[in-house]
Amino acid sequence: MPRIFSDVISDPIFTVSLVAFCCFQVVFYHGLIYLYPKSFATTKQRGWILTALNSLVSVAVAIPYNLSFSGKVFLPEQAFQSWTQTTTIFCAFFMSYLIGDLVLGTLCYPSQMNPWTGYFHHTLYLILIPLSMTIDLAGNFVWMCILELPTLILAVAQIDKSLRSDLLFGASYFTTRIVLHVFAIYQFYIGYRDIVHLLIPVGIFPLHAMWFRQWCRQQLRLRRKEAAASPADDSRATQEIQKQISEAVDDLTRRTRDQASQKSYSADNHKDVAAVFLGKKGHGSHAGRLRAAMGKRASSLKN
């Protein structure tokens, strides 16, 4: 493995891979937007394209490294430490993502570039990855890229909201970036026994812990907000139901009253007709009886 930074840069496998992957990042980003414009219609969705790609590749490549891990040997003697060519190519790919996201983020989706998770994080890793290659930690870096699993879950959820799961993200984050990271620090400690090799995993852990703390606080705020909104929602729903019942009762009462009025009018009308033709007492002639009946009916309509 190289011992100085110039050895990393001059390595043809690393240099060619880095240039090729940088071009690939740009082509992949614009190609995906061109082929699926509806799926990446917003700036937020486009801002997570490269992150989703990188985290997917990182997890896929890290799985064999984790499967080959043996608790019976120290970290420097793990089998994956000899996979130098694969490790070099992957490190170049990861750095191409960092460069591509910084450049495209600044030009195409600046609103999605967070100062901490974007500019600071990417710049830090652009320094740490070549550094890890100079002190024989590149294999360990790929081994720890299984920690990109929660990033993959988050990126997919940002692109498609229907796939969002806060519980899945939180569980994967705690399992990988907290529990596994602590395990990795322990393995570094018993495997290398020096501050230089221990500095990288120990230095990154506070950043992961801070992000997890922020996520927990966010979830607590959301739960409190939902709990506070629930009684108000129930009250509004109850009021709406009561309003609908009241309207239904009023409508039924109005219809009943109208029907009763129609029946009363019909009965009076029949009585009037009978009075005309049967000759009710008090009317002297057929015309008189008819005028009296019509007058009574007009009077009932006015009332």
Side-chain angles (χ1 to χ4, degrees):
M1 294 292 289
R3 293 295 177 182
I4 58 177
F5 187 77
S6 60
D7 291 338
V8 177
I9 302 301
S10 62
D11 183 354
I13 295 178
F14 175 81
T15 305
V16 173
S17 299
L18 179 62
V19 173
F21 285 137
C22 282
C23 296
F24 172 75
Q25 299 281 346
V26 176
V27 173
F28 181 83
Y29 172 81
H30 289 289
L32 207 60
I33 295 175
Y34 177 78
L35 293 174
Y36 305 99
K38 293 183 179 180
S39 299
F40 302 97
T42 66
T43 304
K44 185 176 183 179
Q45 290 173 316
R46 294 192 291 269
W48 285 90
I49 291 177
L50 296 186
T51 302
L53 171 66
N54 178 73
S55 55
L56 176 63
V57 174
S58 297
V59 171
V61 174
I63 289 176
Y65 284 70
N66 283 266
L67 292 178
S68 69
F69 181 86
S70 174
K72 298 180 180 180
V73 298
F74 290 128
L75 199 54
E77 301 169 2
Q78 293 290 335
F80 59 74
Q81 302 291 4
S82 62
W83 303 349
T84 55
Q85 186 169 339
T86 303
T87 301
T88 299
I89 294 174
F90 174 76
C91 287
F93 173 81
F94 201 101
M95 289 184 66
S96 73
Y97 154 69
L98 299 172
I99 296 171
D101 201 36
L102 285 173
V103 175
L104 291 175
T106 302
L107 298 176
C108 301
Y109 44 90
S111 61
Q112 302 302 309
M113 294 297 292
N114 184 277
W116 279 101
T117 59
Y119 295 109
F120 175 78
H121 174 271
H122 290 8
T123 303
L124 176 64
Y125 271 82
L126 282 173
I127 297 172
L128 291 179
I129 293 175
L131 178 62
S132 68
M133 297 176 72
T134 63
I135 56 176
D136 295 334
L137 291 182
N140 297 324
F141 168 74
V142 184
W143 170 58
M144 291 185 66
C145 274
I146 195 69
L147 273 61
E148 290 296 309
L149 177 60
T151 305
L152 175 61
I153 296 173
L154 178 62
V156 171
Q158 295 297 327
I159 294 174
D160 188 348
K161 290 183 178 181
S162 65
L163 300 176
R164 176 174 176 172
S165 174
D166 290 340
L167 181 60
L168 179 61
F169 171 78
S172 64
Y173 195 103
F174 179 76
T175 302
T176 56
R177 299 208 174 192
I178 303 298
V179 177
L180 287 182
H181 199 144
V182 171
F183 174 75
I185 292 174
Y186 172 73
Q187 290 296 322
F188 270 81
Y189 173 73
I190 64 174
Y192 293 99
R193 299 280 183 176
D194 66 81
I195 190 64
V196 175
H197 289 81
L198 195 61
L199 183 62
I200 293 179
V202 171
I204 297 173
F205 182 77
L207 191 63
H208 291 171
M210 180 188 70
W211 290 342
F212 186 66
R213 181 168 173 264
Q214 291 176 348
W215 179 83
C216 290
R217 285 186 170 184
Q218 179 197 50
Q219 293 302 305
L220 288 174
R221 286 196 302 269
L222 291 175
R223 297 297 177 268
R224 292 194 190 102
K225 186 176 180 181
E226 290 176 357
S230 181
D233 293 341
D234 293 342
S235 178
R236 284 194 294 269
T238 302
Q239 292 176 359
E240 184 65 24
I241 293 174
Q242 291 176 344
K243 181 180 178 182
Q244 292 176 0
I245 293 174
S246 178
E247 291 176 350
V249 171
D250 291 343
D251 183 63
L252 180 60
T253 303
R254 186 168 52 255
R255 289 183 180 181
T256 303
R257 187 170 56 247
D258 292 343
Q259 290 176 357
S261 177
Q262 290 176 0
K263 288 181 179 179
S264 176
Y265 170 76
S266 177
D268 291 343
N269 188 44
H270 288 316
K271 290 179 180 179
D272 294 340
V273 173
V276 170
F277 291 101
L278 294 179
K280 191 173 181 182
K281 186 178 179 180
H283 299 282
S285 65
H286 175 76
R289 290 195 298 271
L290 181 60
R291 283 195 299 271
M294 296 302 293
K296 183 179 180 181
R297 183 170 57 183
S299 176
S300 66
L301 288 175
K302 289 180 180 180
N303 294 330

